[in-house]
């Protein structure tokens, strides 16, 4: 794991190229505090901040081949580098190091830009081919590692984080209203759009290839599902046979993610997914396993009892960090600066504290259970969509709608609502079963409630724009032929996962403390296999992740293996209001600050803050709006205040 930055073209000569690279790398030094390096020649500059994990002695970057014609700066890991190295040596390639970085170089020498198809890993890299005058950026299939780029004066600049690009003279940190609208709909901007105007995110599973006369951004892989009517090979196999192959794939995905020259730990949330990974690691590494977790004050969020049960079952050496509500408010500005996007939930903040705990215990690498909910349909939104379709077939049936009582047992506020309220909440949009976004419409509708606080100027600038239509236009051509569950999984896996989960809750908060997260459930071999598993084996009745439980349940205590999904959550608005609220909140949400930024209506925000302080806010909508508005203000304050100070604002209710 590392941070990368650089350029292709002729940069502005306001400062020497070497100094520019040093400034860019310095802005993301937290990603790689162990070493740094640069490579500069006419028309290209590559920079690297290293977190030393594999081949500590000879894995320095940027790394070149023997004659210096191919140079790479690389962030992440190629987990199958051992196997690729053997294959490439058999074809005559000679290696000078033991690093996975050199495997990228030799694979490129052998295959050219198609080398990315051979990599099983989490990666983002830039490669310069001097002989062919070809420059290349590439990002891993699932979007685990970030990679941003921007154009300035005909020169292409790139970096692991946007803050490095802001070191380039003329690249400004101006927030993008369309990205803000998307965030207040989906929780994230749709790639390649980012929170900042002119800053692009290279989408997952894409590569950018540039020369002096052409720039092309194209996918090299895509998430796919069989047609709903397709009775493929997996449909004709027994459940036990499918479970056996699933287990073999997950075991191997975990095995190759233990490759490291430094100790590897694991997160242990107490849920099914992280418990499976920790149990697999314990089987492969019989010595005492180091595990880490976060705990909360409130029983609504805390899972420490289940964590303790897994610690006893596995005999791990465990450390937990308690996260109080006040802690979330205190660290939130740092979280936003690292996330580089507005957040509508505070969930990344405790994970920010968790990665600091890992680093304080001298660990650089942890395995996590992230991705299982997307890949095996574990989220409640999938069960919710299944019930909503069931009710849509007979919308006047009262007994069908009683099934909504079985959803979200971990949300006491929702459980306390009347049946008529639940029917109205879940039943909205039942007539739109042919909408490709049907599974997510209730979530999008609730999230979009925060747009009611947009200023008049924002509304004017966004006039005629519809984020949902934008998303519909970017769905795959064969999306409509997929099973409804597959459609919902695609929306989560291809969009929410890289746009929010792996970014704000994954790479960005972990690398803030120089910690690399590894995700066995996101091994592309497992993802491809799981996409072909019949939907009936993913959700059996209302039992989520049925096939995963059947495949892995024997290595877990029954109370964990049979446990109903409890999504990871954290206190939201209460972290910013009431006694002990951070001092910065009043300043960031003051009418003057809101008006100066120009994104929200001051009087409307003032009323919202009053509601939240009195405890009378209206559930998810007000809660997310409060966090979203505050995080946008913090982002503006951290990066864009000089640019945005002149944005006119209309003070409106």
């Amino acid at each position: 794991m590392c941070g990368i930055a650089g350029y292709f073209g002729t940069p502005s000569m306001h400062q020497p190229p070497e100094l520019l690279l040093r400034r860019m790398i310095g802005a993301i030094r937290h990603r790689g505090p162990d070493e740094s390096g640069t490579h500069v020649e006419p028309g290209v500059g590559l920079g690297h901040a290293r977190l030393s994990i594999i081949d500590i002695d000879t894995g320095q970057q940027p790394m070149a081949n023997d004659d210096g014609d191919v140079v790479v700066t690389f962030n992440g890991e190629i987990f199958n580098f051992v196997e690729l190295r053997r294959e490439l040596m058999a074809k005559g390639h000679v290696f000078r190091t033991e690093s996975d970085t050199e495997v990228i170089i030799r694979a490129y020498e052998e295959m050219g830009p198609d080398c990315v198809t051979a990599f099983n890993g989490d990666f983002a890299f830039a490669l310069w081919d001097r002989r062919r005058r070809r420059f290349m950026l590439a990002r891993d299939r699932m979007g685990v590692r970030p990679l941003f780029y921007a154009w300035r004066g005909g020169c292409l600049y790139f970096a692991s984080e946007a803050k490095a690009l802001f070191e380039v003279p003329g690249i400004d940190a101006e927030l993008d209203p369309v990205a803000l609208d998307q965030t207040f709909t989906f929780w994230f901007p749709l790639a390649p759009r980012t929170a900042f105007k002119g800053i692009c995110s290279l989408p997952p599973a894409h590569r950018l290839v540039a020369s002096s006369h052409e720039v092309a951004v194209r996918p090299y892989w895509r998430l796919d599902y069989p047609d709903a009517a397709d009775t493929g090979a997996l449909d004709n196999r027994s459940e036990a046979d499918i479970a056996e192959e699933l287990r073999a794939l997950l075991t191997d995905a975990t095995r190759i993610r233990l490759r490291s020259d430094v100790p590897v730990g694991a997160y242990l949330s107490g849920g099914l997914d992280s418990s499976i990974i920790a149990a697999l690691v314990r089987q492969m590494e019989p010595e005492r396993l180091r595990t880490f977790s976060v705990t909360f004050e409130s029983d609504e969020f805390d899972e420490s009892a289940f964590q303790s049960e897994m610690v006893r079952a596995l005999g791990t050496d465990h450390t937990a960090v308690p996260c109080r509500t006040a802690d979330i408010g205190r660290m939130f500005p740092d979280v936003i600066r690292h996330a580089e996007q507005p957040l509508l939930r505070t969930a990344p903040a405790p994970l920010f504290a968790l990665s600091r705990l890992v680093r304080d215990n001298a660990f650089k690498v942890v395995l996590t259970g992230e991705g299982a909910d997307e890949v095996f349909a574990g989220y409640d939104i999938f069960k919710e969509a299944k019930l909503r379709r069931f009710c849509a077939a007979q919308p006047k049936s009262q007994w069908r709608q009683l099934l909504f009582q079985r959803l979200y047992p971990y949300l006491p506020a929702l459980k306390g609502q009347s049946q008529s309220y639940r029917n109205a909440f879940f039943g909205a949009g039942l007539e739109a079963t042919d909408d490709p976004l049907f599974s997510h419409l209730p979530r999008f509708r609730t999230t979009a409630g925060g747009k009611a606080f947009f200023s008049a100027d924002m509304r004017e600038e966004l006039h005629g724009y519809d984020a949902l239509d934008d998303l519909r236009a970017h769905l795959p051509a064969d999306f409509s032929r997929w099973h409804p569950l597959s459609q919902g999984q695609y929306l989560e896996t291809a969009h929410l996962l890289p746009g929010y989960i792996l970014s704000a809750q994954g790479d960005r908060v972990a690398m803030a403390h120089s910690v690399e997260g590894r995700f066995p459930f996101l091994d592309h071999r497992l993802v491809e296999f799981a996409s072909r598993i019949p939907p009936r084996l993913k959700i059996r009745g209302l039992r989520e992740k049925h096939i995963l439980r059947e495949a892995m349940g024997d290595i877990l205590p029954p109370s964990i293996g049979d446990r109903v999904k409890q999504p990871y959550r954290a206190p939201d608005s209460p972290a910013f209001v009431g006694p002990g609220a951070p001092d910065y909140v009043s300043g960031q949400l003051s009418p003057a600050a809101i008006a100066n930024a120009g994104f929200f209506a001051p009087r409307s925000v003032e009323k919202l803050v009053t509601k939240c302080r009195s405890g009378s806010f209206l559930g998810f909508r007000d809660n997310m709006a409060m966090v979203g508005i505050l995080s946008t203000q913090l982002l503006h304050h951290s990066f864009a205040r000089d640019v945005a100070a002149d944005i006119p604002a209309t003070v409106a209710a």
Side-chain angles (χ1 to χ4, degrees):
M1 275 302 297
C2 306
I4 64 174
Y7 61 84
F8 172 65
T10 303
S12 167
M13 299 309 293
H14 293 298
Q15 54 187 313
E18 178 74 24
L19 177 59
L20 173 61
L21 287 176
R22 293 289 180 188
R23 289 176 60 89
M24 295 176 75
I25 287 299
I28 54 174
R29 192 60 188 270
H30 52 275
R31 299 187 66 90
D34 296 335
E35 294 180 277
S36 64
T38 61
H39 172 88
V40 177
E41 62 179 90
V44 67
L46 305 177
H48 189 80
R50 188 184 185 202
L51 182 64
S52 305
I53 292 175
I54 291 177
D55 191 11
I56 294 172
D57 293 333
T58 61
Q60 290 77 17
Q61 298 186 47
M63 183 180 288
N65 65 353
D66 304 280
D67 56 13
D69 280 345
V70 177
V71 189
V72 69
T73 182
F74 160 51
N75 168 34
E77 308 289 349
I78 307 299
F79 297 119
N80 65 334
F81 78 99
V82 174
E83 293 79 8
L84 286 177
R85 192 173 192 271
R86 285 198 295 262
E87 293 175 14
L88 291 165
M89 290 177 67
K91 293 179 179 180
H93 292 271
V94 177
F95 284 77
R96 295 179 288 109
T97 74
E98 299 293 327
S99 72
D100 54 341
T101 307
E102 189 175 4
V103 167
I104 296 176
I105 292 174
R106 304 305 177 190
Y108 177 83
E109 290 175 333
E110 183 70 27
M111 304 171 62
D114 288 340
C115 64
V116 290
T117 63
F119 301 152
N120 183 339
D122 305 335
F123 56 84
F125 66 82
L127 182 146
W128 168 238
D129 182 340
R130 181 188 299 130
R131 186 163 58 86
R132 295 177 178 83
R133 310 304 295 174
R134 175 196 289 158
F135 177 79
M136 174 180 170
L137 297 176
R139 191 177 177 201
D140 66 75
R141 292 170 178 84
M142 305 307 296
V144 175
R145 302 303 164 208
L147 188 54
F148 301 94
Y149 65 94
W151 293 92
R152 175 66 181 172
C155 186
L156 174 65
Y157 298 88
F158 69 91
S160 294
E161 298 182 15
K163 58 178 64 69
L165 297 175
F166 300 146
E167 296 296 324
V168 178
I171 295 182
D172 299 319
E174 182 179 358
L175 297 190
D176 181 354
V178 172
L180 195 58
D181 185 88
Q182 292 176 350
T183 300
F184 274 73
T185 306
F186 312 122
W187 298 13
F188 55 88
L190 294 172
R193 192 181 295 272
T194 70
F196 303 101
K197 285 185 177 180
I199 305 295
C200 295
S201 171
L202 185 67
H206 277 65
R207 62 190 174 200
L208 179 154
V209 179
S211 64
S212 60
H213 60 278
E214 181 185 23
V215 177
V217 178
R218 296 190 178 96
Y220 62 87
W221 181 88
R222 69 163 234 174
L223 179 62
D224 198 9
Y225 296 88
D227 289 355
D230 182 20
T231 55
L234 291 189
D235 280 299
N236 299 322
R237 289 169 57 179
S238 69
E239 180 178 324
D241 189 31
I242 293 173
E244 183 180 0
E245 184 168 352
L246 188 165
R247 182 167 180 150
L249 283 168
L250 181 57
T251 300
D252 192 61
T254 303
R255 177 186 65 82
I256 63 176
R257 281 163 178 76
L258 288 171
R259 289 172 169 168
S260 171
D261 292 332
V262 299
V264 178
Y267 283 163
L268 193 59
S269 71
L272 177 72
D273 311 327
S274 66
S275 296
I276 288 173
I277 298 304
L280 284 174
V281 173
R282 192 74 175 85
Q283 289 181 349
M284 298 174 195
E285 304 285 348
E287 66 270 16
R288 199 166 180 82
L289 171 64
R290 200 78 164 81
T291 55
F292 305 90
S293 67
V294 62
T295 63
F296 295 96
E297 300 168 293
S298 170
D299 291 341
E300 182 179 350
F301 308 105
D302 187 60
E303 299 181 74
S304 57
F306 297 101
Q307 295 165 7
S308 297
E309 185 165 358
M310 279 306 301
V311 168
R312 288 192 298 270
L314 298 179
T316 72
D317 182 4
H318 188 72
T319 307
V321 57
C323 187
R324 298 167 298 177
T325 301
D327 296 331
I328 293 174
R330 188 184 66 253
M331 70 180 85
F332 201 60
D334 287 335
V335 172
I336 295 301
R337 182 161 184 84
H338 282 283
E340 297 182 336
Q341 67 186 70
L343 301 177
L344 276 67
R345 309 300 294 269
T346 63
L351 296 176
F352 181 84
L354 181 58
S355 68
R356 181 171 55 209
L357 172 72
V358 171
R359 186 64 181 186
D360 288 346
N361 280 269
F363 274 72
K364 296 180 179 181
V365 183
V366 288
L367 269 63
T368 90
E370 208 67 72
D373 288 311
E374 292 81 3
V375 173
F376 294 104
Y379 287 130
D380 288 310
I381 198 169
F382 301 128
K383 293 188 292 186
E384 177 188 313
K386 182 177 181 178
L387 281 185
R388 290 175 63 240
R389 287 187 182 277
F390 182 66
C391 291
Q394 296 183 23
K396 295 183 180 181
S397 171
Q398 292 300 310
W399 74 265
R400 288 191 179 213
Q401 295 188 5
L402 287 174
L403 292 171
F404 289 139
Q405 293 177 348
R406 298 178 59 183
L407 290 172
Y408 306 107
Y410 51 85
L411 295 178
L414 188 59
K415 284 186 69 177
Q417 296 290 346
S418 67
Q419 185 62 37
S420 60
Y421 175 90
R422 284 193 291 267
N423 291 348
F425 181 84
F426 295 115
L430 289 186
E431 72 286 350
T433 55
D434 60 343
D435 191 316
L437 306 181
F438 175 82
S439 60
H440 284 59
L441 287 178
R443 177 198 286 175
F444 294 159
R445 183 193 66 228
T446 301
T447 305
K451 298 180 191 180
F453 299 94
F454 282 176
S455 68
D457 291 321
M458 273 284 289
R459 294 173 187 273
E460 177 64 25
E461 185 156 357
L462 293 167
H463 180 69
Y465 175 74
D466 188 319
L468 297 183
D469 284 346
D470 199 345
L471 177 56
R472 290 185 187 102
H474 287 85
L475 295 175
D478 49 357
F479 184 89
S480 62
R481 299 198 299 270
W482 297 344
H483 187 280
L485 178 59
S486 300
Q487 293 177 342
Q489 284 189 269
Y490 179 87
L491 293 175
E492 289 288 296
T493 308
H495 291 289
L496 182 74
L497 186 66
Y500 171 72
I501 302 284
L502 292 176
S503 175
Q505 289 188 190
D507 174 271
R508 310 309 284 280
V509 291
M511 288 304 291
H513 296 109
S514 310
V515 172
E516 174 187 302
R518 296 182 177 182
F519 312 93
F521 282 110
L522 295 178
D523 186 299
H524 74 273
R525 300 169 301 168
L526 183 63
V527 172
E528 291 169 353
F529 177 75
S531 71
R532 296 184 289 115
I533 294 176
R536 59 183 168 80
L537 296 182
K538 294 176 181 175
I539 300 181
R540 174 69 60 84
L542 289 180
R543 188 194 195 208
E544 75 277 3
K545 291 186 286 199
H546 168 77
I547 190 66
L548 178 62
R549 295 176 190 273
E550 293 301 300
M552 309 303 301
D554 65 306
I555 67 173
L556 303 174
S559 59
I560 301 295
D562 296 331
R563 187 184 174 202
V564 175
K565 171 69 180 179
Q566 178 177 331
Y568 164 68
R569 298 162 52 241
D572 289 314
S573 294
F576 308 111
V577 297
D583 293 338
Y584 69 81
V585 174
S586 294
Q588 292 293 338
L589 298 182
S590 69
I594 295 292
N596 182 64
F599 304 112
F600 305 102
R603 285 203 292 270
S604 296
V605 172
E606 191 173 25
K607 292 178 181 178
L608 175 65
V609 173
T610 300
K611 286 173 66 178
C612 290
R613 285 176 175 159
S614 67
S616 60
F617 57 89
L618 298 176
F620 295 121
R621 194 201 83 149
D622 286 349
N623 211 22
M624 287 192 289
M626 174 72 171
V627 178
I629 292 167
L630 178 60
S631 63
T632 302
Q633 289 293 110
L634 288 169
L635 191 68
H636 166 77
H637 178 80
S638 294
F639 292 108
R641 53 184 168 178
D642 294 336
V643 174
D646 297 328
I647 296 177
T650 299
V651 178

